[in-house]
């Protein structure tokens, strides 16, 4: 196994993978980077590669501290020691996420897990050859 520490918005995959997994990450991708991020995921995959994603549902907003007047949806997060940071936090309703992924050529099977989480298995929709 190889561990790489990198900025995912500039990192390029050195090879293709059968499987890509990320949890508690998609909600931190700024909306304007959503399409480019999913293009990166596609570039990481072998032709039959699969993706599995876990993240949080909009109901989580009730237990977050929204940051007002930000250029992207964001929340305040306090770390040990009391410092407070802003974190991008985009909470997609399953239907909305499904629509956005569909528009980018992904086939996603989104399932909710309790009130807080969703999980989804994804693959690239095959392009028509005719
Ligand atoms: C909510 S945490 C989730 C961590 C892990 N998936 C888990 O479930 O424990 C989000 C992670 O994204 C990382 N992160 C934030 N911006 C990043 C970036 N531009 N490139 C790579 N990682 C980033 C943070 O350091 C943090 O570890």
């Amino acid at each position: 196994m190889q561990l790489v520490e990198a900025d995912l918005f500039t990192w390029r995959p050195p090879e293709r993978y059968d499987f890509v997994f990320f949890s508690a990450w998609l909600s931190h991708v700024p909306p304007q980077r959503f399409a480019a991020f999913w293009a990166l995921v596609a570039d990481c995959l072998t032709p039959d590669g699969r993706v599995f994603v876990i993240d949080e549902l909009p109901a989580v907003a009730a237990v977050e501290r929204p940051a007002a007047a930000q250029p992207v949806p964001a929340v305040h997060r306090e770390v040990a020691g009391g410092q407070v940071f802003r974190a991008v936090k985009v909470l997609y309703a399953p239907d909305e996420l499904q629509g956005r992924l569909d528009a980018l050529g992904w086939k996603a099977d989104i399932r909710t897990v309790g009130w807080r989480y969703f999980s989804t298995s994804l693959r690239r929709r095959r392009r028509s050859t005719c």
Side-chain angles (χ1 to χ4, degrees):
M1 190 174 89
Q2 192 189 10
L3 179 67
V4 177
E5 186 175 2
D7 177 1
L8 267 179
F9 297 126
T10 55
W11 180 79
R12 301 298 309 157
E15 58 186 308
R16 296 207 175 232
Y17 308 94
D18 296 321
F19 189 70
V20 172
F21 170 78
F22 41 96
S23 171
W25 162 253
L26 185 62
S27 57
H28 298 302
V29 175
Q32 66 270 35
R33 293 181 183 250
F34 186 87
F37 172 71
W38 282 101
L40 168 66
V41 176
D43 286 346
C44 288
L45 287 179
T46 55
D48 291 321
R50 296 289 179 110
V51 185
F52 196 81
V53 177
I54 298 171
D55 217 304
E56 291 179 311
L57 291 165
V60 166
V63 295
E64 288 278 11
R65 292 168 54 199
Q70 301 299 312
V72 296
V75 294
H76 291 297
R77 291 275 173 85
E78 187 172 333
V79 297
Q83 249 189 309
V84 178
F85 293 89
R86 284 170 304 154
V88 172
K89 189 71 180 176
V90 189
L91 296 165
Y92 295 102
D95 284 355
E96 182 195 358
L97 183 59
Q98 185 99 44
R100 286 175 186 248
L101 290 166
D102 190 65
L104 295 175
W106 292 93
K107 188 170 174 359
D109 172 25
I110 302 178
R111 295 162 191 230
T112 57
V113 183
W115 67 274
R116 184 165 201 149
Y117 299 104
F118 69 84
S119 69
T120 177
S121 169
L122 303 103
R123 62 180 170 77
R124 294 288 288 163
R125 215 179 297 106
R126 294 203 188 280
R127 288 191 193 93
S128 168
T129 50
C130 54

